[in-house]
Amino acid sequence: MPLSRRAILTGAAVGGGLFVGWYLWPRHYSAPLIAGEDEYGFGGWLTIGKDGVVTVAVPQLEMGQGVTTLLPQIVAVELGADWRQIAVQPVPPSGAQPNIPLAAKWAPLWSSIPSLADEPGDMLAGRFARDHAFSATADGTTLAAYEQPVREAAAAARAMLAMVAAKRWGTDWEQCEVEGGLVQFGKRTLRFGDLAEEAATMRAPDPAPLRPDPPAERPVGEDDDSVDTLFPRLDLPSKIDGSMIFAGDVRLPDLVFAAIAHGPIGMQELVGYDAKTVKKIRGLVGVVKHKRWIAAVASNSWQAQKALKALRPRFSGPGAVGTEKLEQVLTTAARGEGETILSFGDPDSQLQQGAAGATYYIAPALHAAIETASATARLSDGRLELWIASQAPEAARAAAGEAVGLSPDKVVLYPLEAGGSFDARLEKQHAIEVAQIAKAIGKPVQLTWSRAEESRMVPPRTPVAIALTASLGQGDSLTPSAWRARLACPATVREFGERLFDNATPEAAMERAAGKADPLACEGALPPYAIPNVAIEHVPVTLSLPTARLRGNAAAYTAFATECFIDELAARAARNPLLYRMEMLGQQPRLVEVLRRAAQIGEWGAGDGGTGEGMAVVRMDAVGDPQRAGGGRIACIAEARAGGSGFEVERLIAVVDIGRIVNLDLARQQIEGGLMFGLALARGSSAVWHRGMPSPARLGAMGLPGLADTPDMTIEFVSSDAPPFDPGELGVAVAPPAIANALYAATGKRFRRLPLMETVA
Amino acid sequence: MARMTVNDRPVEFLLDGDTPLLWALRDAANLTGTKYGCGVGDCGACMVHVDGEVLRSCLVTIAEAEGRVVTTIEGLSADRTHPVQQAMVAEQAIQCGFCTPGIVMAAAALLKSNSAPSEGEIKAAIRNLCRCGVQPRLVRAIERAGRVARRVETISAAPAPGISSRDAKSSVPAFGNSNDKDQSR
């Protein structure tokens, strides 16, 4: 079965090219997808070659989530192509392919307007995203941003192909069928390849003649985990034989290799190094020093690392960061006053007497992608070329250019796939560094951060303390009548925004965000349950540890606190945690359904002590969806027991409702992977900083689950026609509280910290 | 200066003897399928076969590899036809793919010594880290690879690279010939 896939490094240069414009194309934007020889462009989203190969532009970063299959699948279905004729081209950022839903959601980070998130397609967000070529890959917005545009482009292309065929056959194009890569009328067929050249000159009907239904795959029967997909991932053949090119795999003539050292957190100014010893290192090309780092460059990575070690760099600064007292600082702050993010009813008076409370502490969490930050750069003839995997490529491009005195239009970014990211590649420090090193050395340079640098220099997901208070006592069920969540953490999303949108240093970003309430840092803190009086408050705490986004984001900590506390309230009320939740979900039929089915599969009993079963539910809302017509829902039952020096999770059952499913197996991969990521958060993937250095910094000491720690998983999807929702973060959020509640059932002990145990073997 | 056989070819590395095999393979031989993830043997992304045994190439120097036979992911099969490669694709037990070469090499070594490993043996043998979370599929994929190795199952999930346009034409109508004539007459 020939799966055609283009070499990943084909010219993704900015501007110019043999681009065939058409009316849908906003002409003042650079063309992200350039038609090669014997290829013809359709709307900047696809080209069709004389050979019949359909190449689909993907403006989102592939980091394992399958976007280089998902968007091409939508094109193939809408166009009527054979899956085997589809090729993929990751394209650099262009204003013509903006991520408007994400721009709307992140509006507080780039505008002074508090929120545009509830106004889809908002003018301002659209203008911002187009003007800034904002096509970031984050927050599960791929389908919301790109499904409609790629469908329209593919539908237009289908019509244009049919028009040419119909002209040759003397019939109406509407009478022609397009499927399997052929235009058909009666028994006559024409291949796309024979039509493309003329088709590209046709005038597409406006609006584009979409097929009646968007692509949808129905969930198969119960616990059917066979992989039998009509749309196998396009990226796997090149990932199975080592031929996939990641940023550290690019090879250029005269390429040299750089190793870099940064200071401990809080001690980031380079103040000295040993220049002499390094000279003995064979193959040394040069040493590049900067205010905040030093790099050794050599003919291979090992010599560069040896030279870097010999340099013995010394750093200074206001003070090395220690986080030994973080938990105490944050839990104390969470018991103080906060700024109201959201409030309804009259929670204050309700919570004055007889309220139950608990405080949860969630430690800083590490990304620990297996690929460390890597980039390759070549600076020649006043032009910078940058090979990099970036979730925010335009920001990386602009920052790298600025660092070497070049305007963004002098920077060519070749988008590569990421070896995992989990939001680490929203950061762009390595893009800046590789450009500066390339400039200083005068040769093409490859920079690969060591694992130690990766652990230290990618800011962790924020630590947070969450104080929850609830009044027990609506009727006999003892469900809460009032609820307050007070989150003590830095304005972490604002801080991230200062780095992303204003290119601030980590320290400057912390300073600018300090003391501001941050609604996005409190996402998911509103429980999905029917509680008449609620207050969500943020206590912005200033830390000296920079913080960042991480897969699961705020939902991963708010769901942990909410779902553990609900379990505590159920226990106080002496209620079955399943029925207790169900009674508060009357207005949430989709949540009821996932919970009901999960409980059924898990043969949920009384949920009493000793069973080792725990549950959690999570609802995530879509951007610009105040009525909550879309969004995602997951219920999880965990079976766990204490064992050895920690705990073991034996089984995870998850029932998931993500609305319409475009690619069922990709969705399943995302749920499986999300649950594993959540399991890692429950076990570890956290650090303590001593003297500015994270401990552990080694992957092997982070408590990451391996194959032997992998629970048996049962995953089911609900069949739904609701708007599609990205499955990537649901599992991350739901697993830790389900596991914590299971451990309570097994041990009678409440786990109010994440990771759940101080030390993990 | 270390000499060895890499993917069936004689190679002499003009590098310091203390250079880890990982960096010699990547930076000197341009065999970049072997990945750096940690440099200290934690992640397994750099696994290769040395004299048929799976080793972390970040922990082996080229001096230690002198005279040995090294196989990397690029040399495991010429055309992606190794049973582990086929099964990993068939089960879609790959996401970002960065840890994949190491997992494939580890699984291939396991099946070489035991083509019908039990679940427990697979779990004990495969210690590679994967942050995307493909673990729920790995046991199934490796068991399936074992069946292929034992010739009780066949898979053709990952196509060979470099398919000729003639072969493509014969198997995919979209690449074939148009039928522009009205045959009903």
Side-chain angles (χ1 to χ4, degrees):
Chain A
M1 183 174 72
L3 286 177
S4 195
R5 187 194 162 82
R6 261 198 185 188
I8 199 157
L9 294 181
T10 42
V14 179
L18 293 168
F19 176 67
V20 179
W22 111 45
Y23 78 98
L24 278 177
W25 193 257
R27 280 159 204 275
H28 56 285
Y29 296 120
S30 60
L33 181 65
I34 295 160
E37 198 180 337
D38 290 335
E39 289 180 344
Y40 307 95
F42 294 84
W45 280 106
L46 60 145
T47 64
I48 302 177
K50 273 191 172 161
D51 57 3
V53 173
V54 177
T55 303
V56 179
V58 175
Q60 294 271 279
L61 174 68
E62 177 64 79
M63 42 191 170
Q65 83 280 38
V67 69
T68 46
T69 297
L70 191 70
L71 290 179
Q73 177 187 347
I74 295 164
V75 167
V77 170
E78 187 65 49
L79 181 62
D82 187 307
W83 190 231
R84 295 168 293 185
Q85 75 188 119
I86 299 289
V88 183
Q89 175 85 51
V91 291
S94 159
Q97 293 170 334
N99 188 342
I100 296 171
L102 188 59
K105 181 166 184 184
W106 286 0
L109 311 183
W110 53 262
S111 82
S112 53
I113 300 158
S115 176
L116 301 173
D118 290 340
E119 297 166 49
D122 180 275
M123 290 271 291
L124 282 175
R127 192 189 304 159
F128 171 85
R130 288 187 197 96
D131 287 353
H132 294 83
F134 179 75
S135 61
T137 309
D139 251 344
T141 48
T142 296
L143 283 176
Y146 297 107
E147 184 178 34
Q148 190 66 16
V150 300
R151 279 190 73 198
E152 287 173 2
R158 168 167 44 77
M160 292 152 85
L161 292 164
M163 285 171 184
V164 177
K167 201 168 79 179
R168 292 187 193 170
W169 292 330
T171 183
D172 283 342
W173 71 268
E174 287 97 338
Q175 302 297 315
C176 299
E177 281 187 30
V178 184
E179 59 183 316
L182 302 170
V183 183
Q184 303 173 30
F185 179 69
K187 289 191 173 172
R188 301 184 204 185
T189 58
L190 280 165
R191 312 181 307 129
F192 290 178
D194 291 332
L195 300 166
E197 182 172 10
E198 196 180 342
T201 66
M202 303 300 282
R203 191 178 172 81
D206 182 17
L210 296 178
R211 293 184 189 271
D213 298 311
E217 292 185 353
R218 292 289 162 192
V220 283
E222 189 173 306
D223 194 22
D224 181 353
D225 54 10
S226 71
V227 176
D228 188 17
T229 176
L230 291 172
F231 300 95
R233 292 181 66 131
L234 297 176
D235 52 345
L236 300 195
S238 65
K239 287 176 175 174
I240 205 69
D241 64 0
S243 61
M244 170 63 72
I245 301 292
F246 293 92
D249 302 335
V250 174
R251 293 292 175 264
L252 301 168
D254 300 323
L255 182 69
V256 290
F257 299 85
I260 197 164
H262 305 84
I265 305 301
M267 301 279 280
Q268 249 130 7
E269 193 188 331
L270 179 73
V271 290
Y273 61 97
D274 298 348
K276 281 183 190 162
T277 47
V278 75
K279 291 192 175 131
K280 283 182 246 159
I281 307 281
R282 208 153 70 97
L284 185 75
V285 176
V287 172
V288 182
K289 56 183 198 292
H290 180 270
K291 208 166 69 181
R292 299 165 60 89
W293 47 262
I294 187 164
V297 185
S299 55
N300 69 72
S301 300
W302 178 245
Q303 298 303 101
Q305 289 167 33
K306 280 207 289 193
L308 187 68
K309 209 172 167 189
L311 285 168
R312 297 163 53 93
R314 293 178 291 281
F315 294 88
S316 180
V321 170
T323 62
E324 298 85 353
K325 293 192 175 141
L326 211 48
E327 179 167 1
Q328 195 192 330
V329 168
L330 291 174
T331 49
T332 304
R335 290 175 188 135
E337 290 289 300
E339 292 195 46
T340 302
I341 300 291
L342 175 79
S343 176
F344 53 80
D346 183 14
D348 287 346
S349 67
Q350 294 273 332
L351 289 169
Q352 274 168 5
Q353 285 180 342
T359 302
Y360 297 83
Y361 174 70
I362 296 99
L366 305 173
H367 301 76
I370 306 295
E371 181 192 36
T372 59
S374 308
T376 305
R378 175 163 62 190
L379 184 61
S380 60
D381 303 329
R383 197 177 68 153
L384 175 69
E385 293 169 281
L386 189 60
W387 289 260
I388 195 167
S390 175
Q391 287 180 254
E394 186 62 6
R397 195 165 80 106
E402 192 185 320
V404 292
L406 293 176
S407 59
D409 63 318
K410 300 288 185 211
V411 183
V412 181
L413 183 140
Y414 302 99
L416 301 183
E417 302 197 1
S421 171
F422 319 113
D423 284 354
R425 304 299 168 238
L426 281 164
E427 307 293 332
K428 55 186 173 340
Q429 183 61 31
H430 57 303
I432 295 169
E433 292 166 357
V434 76
Q436 288 172 328
I437 298 168
K439 184 177 183 181
I441 292 292
K443 287 184 174 185
V445 167
Q446 184 160 93
L447 173 65
T448 305
W449 281 9
S450 69
R451 174 55 53 187
E453 298 298 309
E454 175 80 11
S455 295
R456 188 164 71 259
M457 295 309 294
V458 177
R461 201 277 327 281
T462 189
V464 55
I466 305 178
L468 295 179
T469 321
S471 65
L472 274 187
Q474 279 189 91
D476 298 339
S477 63
L478 296 175
T479 55
S481 60
W483 177 284
R484 180 166 55 224
R486 191 176 281 152
L487 290 83
C489 65
T492 179
V493 185
R494 289 181 179 278
E495 181 191 333
F496 156 76
E498 295 288 348
R499 289 196 302 271
L500 177 67
F501 291 111
D502 292 322
N503 202 17
T505 63
E507 292 77 17
M510 283 192 289
E511 203 176 304
R512 290 188 208 170
K516 292 181 182 163
D518 191 348
L520 288 173
C522 303
E523 246 192 316
L526 173 67
Y529 304 107
I531 302 171
N533 308 284
V534 173
I536 309 296
E537 298 174 17
H538 180 210
V539 187
V541 179
T542 305
L543 301 178
S544 45
L545 179 71
T547 58
R549 297 179 67 77
L550 173 77
R551 185 177 188 180
N553 287 302
Y557 51 75
T558 53
F560 175 70
T562 300
E563 283 300 293
C564 288
F565 191 51
I566 283 287
D567 236 57
E568 294 199 31
L569 295 179
R572 269 179 173 245
R575 301 289 316 281
N576 182 322
L578 171 66
L579 301 177
Y580 192 71
R581 284 179 171 84
M582 285 291 194
E583 272 165 41
M584 294 184 281
L585 291 173
Q587 307 301 310
Q588 307 271 343
R590 293 174 69 190
L591 261 184
V592 167
E593 177 65 7
V594 292
L595 185 54
R596 186 191 65 76
R597 280 175 58 176
Q600 192 177 24
I601 298 167
E603 296 176 340
W604 183 263
D608 293 342
T611 61
E613 277 199 329
M615 64 169 47
V617 293
V618 173
R619 186 192 71 206
M620 288 186 180
D621 296 327
V623 186
D625 182 25
Q627 304 304 316
R628 299 202 174 94
R633 289 142 187 89
I634 189 167
C636 180
I637 309 272
E639 293 174 20
R641 60 183 174 86
S645 55
F647 60 87
E648 277 176 41
V649 182
E650 286 154 342
R651 191 177 183 202
L652 289 174
I653 295 157
V655 179
V656 187
D657 181 349
I658 51 169
R660 171 170 56 85
I661 300 168
V662 174
N663 185 310
L664 187 62
D665 198 60
L666 285 180
R668 181 180 291 276
Q669 288 169 48
Q670 285 299 291
I671 297 298
E672 289 168 356
L675 292 170
M676 289 300 294
F677 206 85
L679 175 61
L681 290 173
R683 288 167 51 97
S685 54
S686 178
V688 175
W689 279 254
H690 300 290
R691 295 181 189 163
M693 307 293 265
S695 173
R698 275 182 73 146
L699 283 176
M702 290 178 191
L704 305 176
L707 185 56
D709 311 300
T710 301
D712 179 45
M713 286 191 191
T714 304
I715 295 167
E716 277 193 30
F717 290 89
V718 172
S719 183
S720 168
D721 293 314
F725 186 78
D726 191 280
E729 301 199 320
L730 287 164
V732 182
V734 84
I739 294 167
N741 291 337
L743 285 174
Y744 168 73
T747 66
K749 183 179 179 313
R750 285 293 174 193
F751 293 86
R752 297 195 181 105
R753 298 176 83 257
L754 197 64
L756 300 175
M757 292 180 185
E758 294 264 354
T759 53
V760 178
Chain B
M1 307 303 137
R3 298 178 186 189
M4 63 196 77
T5 304
V6 178
N7 297 340
D8 294 334
R9 291 183 187 188
V11 172
E12 181 177 7
F13 286 115
L14 307 178
L15 300 170
D16 288 356
D18 68 347
T19 306
L21 182 57
L22 166 67
W23 297 113
L25 292 170
R26 289 184 54 79
D27 295 354
N30 287 338
L31 293 167
T32 55
T34 303
K35 303 300 184 197
Y36 166 80
C38 69
V40 293
D42 285 347
C43 73
C46 67
M47 281 181 161
V48 298
H49 294 175
V50 178
D51 288 346
E53 191 186 348
V54 67
L55 294 179
R56 292 161 164 86
S57 64
C58 69
L59 299 181
V60 182
T61 67
I62 54 171
E64 289 162 344
E66 171 92 42
R68 293 168 185 257
V69 176
V70 177
T71 305
T72 70
I73 186 71
E74 291 91 346
L76 185 65
S77 71
D79 47 8
R80 305 172 182 147
T81 51
H82 190 283
V84 175
Q85 291 175 311
Q86 288 293 325
M88 289 283 284
V89 174
E91 294 291 339
Q92 305 219 99
I94 303 167
Q95 290 186 29
C96 82
F98 198 80
C99 68
T100 304
I103 291 176
V104 170
M105 296 311 281
L110 170 66
L111 292 183
K112 204 169 178 183
S113 62
N114 176 5
S115 67
S118 67
E119 181 174 341
E121 286 168 332
I122 293 171
K123 285 185 169 177
I126 308 299
R127 311 296 290 261
N128 307 59
L129 292 176
C130 164
R131 285 288 274 159
C132 297
V134 303
Q135 292 91 345
R137 294 171 183 234
L138 274 186
V139 170
R140 209 162 60 227
I142 294 168
E143 284 172 346
R144 193 166 171 188
R147 292 197 297 277
V148 174
R150 301 195 306 275
R151 298 172 195 273
V152 293
E153 186 180 334
T154 56
I155 317 175
S156 59
I163 283 169
S164 73
S165 59
R166 210 174 70 184
D167 286 352
K169 271 188 171 185
S170 68
S171 60
V172 181
F175 291 133
N177 295 317
S178 294
N179 174 20
D180 204 3
K181 300 286 179 291
D182 186 350
Q183 293 176 332
S184 61
R185 287 177 204 168

